[in-house]
Amino acid sequence: METRILLKIPWPPSVNHYYDNARRKTRTGKAYMARMLSARAVAYHNEVFAIAKEAKIAGFGGANVSMSLEFYPPDNRVRDADNTLKAIQDSLVKASILDDDRQIKEGHWKWNHKDKPGYVLVTLEVL
């Protein structure tokens, strides 16, 4: 089990691009709208998983952690951190670094200068 992890991950998709809606039908033929991860979100999870695997990160198991994020956006558009947190936290779970995003008990983020194509430095530490 790790006690501290520093990871450089690509710029995440915002929550606005995280889900797709799809028209589905029940077995009886009744139509409904299903909400599912977008292709962009799935690709992002896979990319973070590959980075974690290459770095041979063991993860934290069930330990509570603090998370610090340093954002290096790809351009000067106005953004808020909340729109990026969902994709980052979910990808850390999919990469088996965390068992559940509820383990994050403290958080801090900092916005830095733009740097194409954009990335996020993630620091996780056991509390």
Side-chain angles (χ1 to χ4, degrees):
M1 180 175 90
E2 305 278 347
T3 58
R4 185 172 195 270
I5 292 173
L6 178 62
L7 198 60
K8 181 179 178 179
I9 59 175
W11 189 257
S14 77
V15 171
N16 301 335
H17 301 278
Y18 198 69
Y19 293 105
D20 281 335
N21 291 318
R23 190 175 305 271
R24 300 278 188 230
K25 289 187 179 184
T26 64
R27 283 182 272 171
T28 60
K30 185 176 180 181
Y32 68 97
M33 293 299 289
R35 191 171 183 203
M36 55 211 305
L37 286 179
S38 68
R40 187 186 265 179
V42 171
Y44 184 75
H45 290 176
N46 291 339
E47 195 169 353
V48 172
F49 180 84
I51 291 168
K53 185 176 179 181
E54 184 178 317
K56 297 181 177 155
I57 294 174
F60 291 103
N64 291 334
V65 299
S66 70
M67 180 172 72
S68 177
L69 302 172
E70 290 186 43
F71 295 111
Y72 292 85
D75 53 43
N76 288 327
R77 282 187 282 171
V78 177
R79 296 176 165 86
D80 67 18
D82 292 342
N83 274 343
T84 60
L85 291 175
K86 177 75 174 153
I88 293 169
Q89 291 175 347
D90 285 355
S91 64
L92 294 173
V93 172
K94 299 267 188 208
S96 299
I97 295 171
L98 299 172
D99 290 346
D100 193 293
D101 56 5
R102 289 180 292 177
Q103 292 173 249
I104 302 169
K105 301 299 182 186
E106 290 181 9
H108 174 264
W109 62 80
K110 176 183 173 187
W111 289 95
N112 292 299
H113 58 84
K114 74 174 184 176
D115 192 359
K116 276 199 178 247
Y119 61 92
V120 181
L121 292 178
V122 180
T123 305
L124 296 163
E125 292 184 80
V126 172
L127 292 175

